[in-house]
Amino acid sequence: MKVLNETREFYISLPANYNVKAKYPVVYLLDGESHFQFFTGIVKHLSSNFVIPEMIVVGIVNTNRNRDLTPTHDPSNFDPSNGGGEIFTAFLQKELVPYIDAHYATAPYRLLVGHSLGGLLVVNTLLKHPGLFTAYAAVDPSLWWDKMQLLSESAGLLSRRQLNGKTLFLAFSNSLPAGMTDTAQAKKDTTTSTIGFRAPFLFESRLLQTTNKSLRWQSKYYPNEFHGSIPLIGSYDALKFIFDFYRRPSFQVLTDSTAFVLVGHYQKVSEKMGYTILPPEADLAGLAWRSAAMEKNFERALTFLQLYERLYPNSPGVYDSWAQYYKAQGDEGKAKSYFEKAEAVRRKRTSQKN
C-alpha cells in the first residue's frame, strides 16, 4: 500500500449467497485479527433473520496499532510513532475502499466500526472526514487520548459539520478504577484514574449540547461490562440501532394490502440506504405459498406472484412458486410445466457459470 508504505492484510467475509450482480453494504472493522470472528457471526445471525441487510465485512489487521489508530501525536506516550491516524484514514479513503469497491459487489452504504483506540479513530473520522462512511460505531472509544485532545475539538466540529444522513452509535463500559463505585463522583473527578471512564460521558454531553441536530445518534452505557467484554454486545447493539429501519413488518395476519405494505417498507429502506433494495425472494415466495396452500386465497397469492415475477423475472424461484400455486389448485399439468421451467432456468444459470 503506497499511502502507508507497507503491505497490509485484511480479511473478507461475504454473504452466504453472495451474488456479483447484487449490492451489499460494507463494514470496515478495525482490529480485524481480534474482532472478525465474532463480528461476522453477529452479522450472519442478524441478517439471516432480516434484522439487518446482508453485508460484506472487511476486517483490517493491525501492523502498528498505536500508530495507526491515534489521530494526534502524544509525546508522552511510550510509542514515539503514535499519531498516524490521519495517514491511516487516507489509506482507507484512497486505497482500501476503492480496492473493495473495484473487486466486490458493494453498495454506497459503508460502516466504520472500532473498539478502544479503534473507537477513537471512528470518532475522529466522523468529526473530520464524515463523508467517508455512512454509519459509525465507536465501542468504548479511547477519548482520553492525548489529554482528551479530540474531545476539546469535538464541540466546534459538531457545530460545523453537515452530518445529515450520518449515524453514530456510542457504547461505553464500566471502567471505574478499583474500589470506586459511585459513578456520579467519578464524573466529577479530575484525576487521571477516572479519565477513561469520564471521557465517553463528556463526548455524550457534547452530542447532547450541540445545536447542530443533523447527526442521528444513540449512546449506551453498559454498567455490567468492562473494556474487554463490551466489543461483542456493543457491536450487536450498534448494528441493531444503525439498521433499526430495516426489519420488515411482521405479517401474522395477511390482508389484501400486505403486498403494498411490503413494497412500501422496502421503498423506505431504499431511501435510507441510498440505493434500491427489493423485498427478499424468500418473503415473496413464502407469502404466495401461504396464501395459496394454507389459506386457499388464490387471488391474494396471485398478487404476490405477479409482484415476485415483476421484481425477479429471471429467478427460478418465481417458476417454483407458480408451480406450487397451480399445485394448490389441483392443476398438476400447469404445476409440472412451471417446475420444468424452473429447472431449465437453473440449468441455464449453471452452464453460464461454467
Side-chain angles (χ1 to χ4, degrees):
M1 298 296 182
K2 294 180 180 179
V3 172
L4 296 174
N5 195 30
E6 64 181 11
T7 300
R8 295 302 297 247
E9 181 182 6
F10 54 87
Y11 308 145
I12 296 285
S13 173
L14 300 177
N17 298 309
Y18 177 74
N19 181 354
V20 295
K21 295 182 179 179
K23 292 181 179 180
Y24 302 94
V26 185
V27 181
Y28 290 85
L29 178 68
L30 303 174
D31 291 319
E33 70 277 13
S34 302
H35 299 163
F36 188 75
Q37 187 171 10
F38 80 73
F39 191 89
T40 54
I42 293 171
V43 169
K44 289 175 182 177
H45 172 71
L46 291 177
S47 63
S48 67
N49 286 282
F50 305 106
V51 178
I52 66 173
E54 291 186 307
M55 295 190 286
I56 298 169
V57 180
V58 181
I60 306 169
V61 177
N62 290 307
T63 57
N64 186 334
R65 186 174 186 272
N66 208 55
R67 176 198 67 194
D68 292 339
L69 304 184
T70 52
T72 56
H73 180 72
D74 183 353
S76 67
N77 188 263
F78 71 93
D79 182 0
S81 70
N82 75 79
E86 286 294 327
I87 298 174
F88 184 79
T89 304
F91 153 68
L92 296 178
Q93 182 175 19
K94 296 178 181 180
E95 294 188 292
L96 185 57
V97 170
Y99 177 88
I100 297 298
D101 285 345
H103 290 83
Y104 297 93
T106 63
Y109 197 103
R110 296 193 290 265
L111 301 85
L112 182 63
V113 179
H115 165 246
S116 192
L117 287 179
L120 172 69
L121 189 80
V122 168
V123 175
N124 187 77
T125 308
L126 169 67
L127 295 179
K128 297 180 180 178
H129 311 278
L132 186 51
F133 298 93
T134 312
Y136 299 79
V139 181
D140 228 16
S142 300
L143 292 165
W144 51 264
W145 175 261
D146 193 13
K147 301 180 180 63
M148 299 195 287
Q149 176 61 34
L150 185 58
L151 269 176
S152 299
E153 302 175 54
S154 63
L157 291 168
L158 283 169
S159 67
R160 297 194 302 269
R161 295 297 185 220
Q162 292 299 319
L163 299 173
N164 292 308
K166 305 301 178 184
T167 300
L168 168 68
F169 184 82
L170 174 67
F172 38 102
S173 70
N174 186 348
S175 56
L176 287 170
M180 183 177 289
T181 58
D182 189 339
T183 58
Q185 177 189 352
K187 290 177 184 179
K188 296 176 182 178
D189 189 61
T190 58
T191 67
T192 56
S193 64
T194 59
I195 192 172
F197 177 81
R198 288 183 286 115
F201 283 101
L202 289 171
F203 183 56
E204 180 187 48
S205 69
R206 302 285 192 279
L207 291 167
L208 288 167
Q209 292 166 9
T210 183
T211 57
N212 181 359
K213 303 301 181 183
S214 60
L215 175 67
R216 174 177 173 262
W217 67 278
Q218 185 181 88
S219 62
K220 187 172 182 179
Y221 171 55
Y222 296 79
N224 297 318
E225 304 298 334
F226 66 97
H227 191 63
S229 69
I230 196 174
L232 190 150
I233 190 171
S235 298
Y236 177 87
D237 286 345
L239 290 174
K240 287 185 68 180
F241 169 67
I242 289 168
F243 294 108
D244 64 1
F245 56 85
Y246 187 83
R247 184 180 179 182
R248 69 156 172 80
S250 176
F251 298 123
Q252 294 181 344
V253 177
L254 299 185
T255 69
D256 291 341
S257 64
T258 297
F260 299 102
V261 173
L262 184 67
V263 170
H265 171 73
Y266 281 98
Q267 286 176 341
K268 291 180 180 178
V269 169
S270 298
E271 291 172 7
K272 293 277 189 181
M273 300 290 289
Y275 62 100
T276 300
I277 297 176
L278 300 177
E281 285 194 65
D283 277 359
L284 296 167
L287 291 168
W289 176 83
R290 180 176 157 189
S291 297
M294 295 183 67
E295 300 181 2
K296 302 302 180 182
N297 189 326
F298 297 109
E299 185 176 351
R300 186 179 296 151
L302 188 63
T303 300
F304 289 122
L305 286 170
Q306 290 171 339
L307 176 62
Y308 189 5
E309 186 168 7
R310 177 168 63 83
L311 297 178
Y312 297 94
N314 300 314
S315 170
V318 170
Y319 305 110
D320 281 330
S321 291
W322 276 113
Q324 291 169 356
Y325 170 77
Y326 285 113
K327 188 173 183 179
Q329 295 184 73
D331 192 334
E332 295 294 337
K334 282 190 175 181
K336 181 181 179 183
S337 174
Y338 274 103
F339 276 130
E340 290 173 349
K341 192 168 185 178
E343 287 305 309
V345 173
R346 288 191 180 93
R347 287 195 298 270
K348 184 178 180 181
R349 282 189 170 185
T350 302
S351 64
Q352 288 174 342
K353 289 180 180 178
N354 298 333

